[in-house]
Amino acid sequence: MRGSRGVVAGGVLLSLALSGCAAIQNREWGTCALAGGIVGAIVGGTAGGVAVNNTHDHPANAERGGAIGGGIVGGGAIGALVGHLICDPEKTTPPPPPPPPPPAPKKIVTLEGANFDFNKSTLKPEGKKKLDVAVKAMKDDPSLHVTIEGHTDSVGSPAYNQKLSERRADSAKAYIVSQGGDGKRISTIGFGETKPIADNNTDEGRAQNRRVDVLAK
């Protein structure tokens, strides 16, 4: 009889384990399993003692102890499993780390406002000489892509400055292409007065803000 009770308890435990396998793996073992195991052991031990008394008129102490022990073990295991399935917290999967930020573009050369005719997009000889550095870089590295950014100071209307920054970036691209640079690997963008790097309230600051940056991507 005691063996039958062990088989029954084992079968119940196995059934619970198989039916809740995924749930078991997805939960942290915690206080619910512990509490369930304690309650299950008490109930199982009590049930084992009652069962042996009901099936034998005068059970031996060894038999009674074995039945109670078996009930404690089986009940504790079943109770722990049930408690775990009912209310132990689910495991949390940490989010994957964010991808690393793309590398910052490397500046090849900067043309100051003085490298253009005043208030125009026409390149001066000094500006062309600086752009020759970008031409060489593109020829040396056929995989190199270039972005040309145009910027202005805050003198004048935002709309005018936006157009001027675009024209100067386009003028720089046209020169690089004329010297053998691959136009398909060159993009241009104008930011107008929106990205100053110095104080527009001073002559020195405005001079720094009037620029064209040639960046390697």
Side-chain angles (χ1 to χ4, degrees):
M1 183 65 69
R2 184 170 55 198
S4 299
R5 287 194 296 271
V7 171
V8 171
V12 172
L13 182 61
L14 178 61
S15 177
L16 286 171
L18 292 176
S19 62
C21 184
I24 292 172
Q25 294 177 351
N26 291 331
R27 292 181 181 274
E28 301 283 355
W29 287 93
T31 55
C32 288
L34 177 60
I38 293 172
V39 172
I42 294 171
V43 173
T46 302
V50 170
V52 77
N53 285 332
N54 289 339
T55 56
H56 295 78
D57 291 335
H58 300 287
N61 289 336
E63 187 172 7
R64 182 182 297 109
I68 293 174
I72 290 173
V73 173
I78 294 172
L81 183 59
V82 171
H84 177 66
L85 291 171
I86 290 175
C87 66
D88 273 339
E90 292 186 357
K91 293 179 180 178
T92 56
T93 303
K106 180 181 178 182
K107 186 179 295 185
I108 298 176
V109 67
T110 293
L111 281 68
E112 294 80 13
N115 296 136
F116 294 88
D117 284 340
F118 176 72
N119 213 24
K120 294 181 180 179
S121 59
T122 306
L123 275 166
K124 290 184 176 182
E126 295 84 355
K128 293 179 180 179
K129 186 176 181 179
K130 287 186 176 182
L131 286 176
D132 287 338
V133 175
V135 173
K136 183 177 185 305
M138 293 192 71
K139 289 182 177 179
D140 290 345
D141 184 359
S143 66
L144 181 67
H145 286 70
V146 167
T147 296
I148 303 176
E149 299 180 349
H151 305 270
T152 71
D153 59 27
S154 61
V155 177
S157 71
Y160 178 83
N161 286 333
Q162 177 63 35
K163 291 296 184 182
L164 179 60
S165 69
E166 293 171 0
R167 291 198 304 271
R168 286 186 169 178
D170 290 341
S171 179
K173 175 181 177 178
Y175 176 77
I176 294 174
V177 172
S178 73
Q179 300 302 304
D182 184 359
K184 294 179 180 179
R185 293 189 279 132
I186 304 173
S187 59
T188 63
I189 185 171
F191 290 102
E193 60 188 65
T194 62
K195 290 192 173 184
I197 58 173
D199 187 357
N200 270 312
N201 292 318
T202 66
D203 291 340
E204 294 80 4
R206 288 191 294 273
Q208 293 181 58
N209 292 332
R210 296 190 296 269
R211 70 197 189 279
V212 169
D213 292 325
V214 183
L215 307 172
K217 296 171 62 178

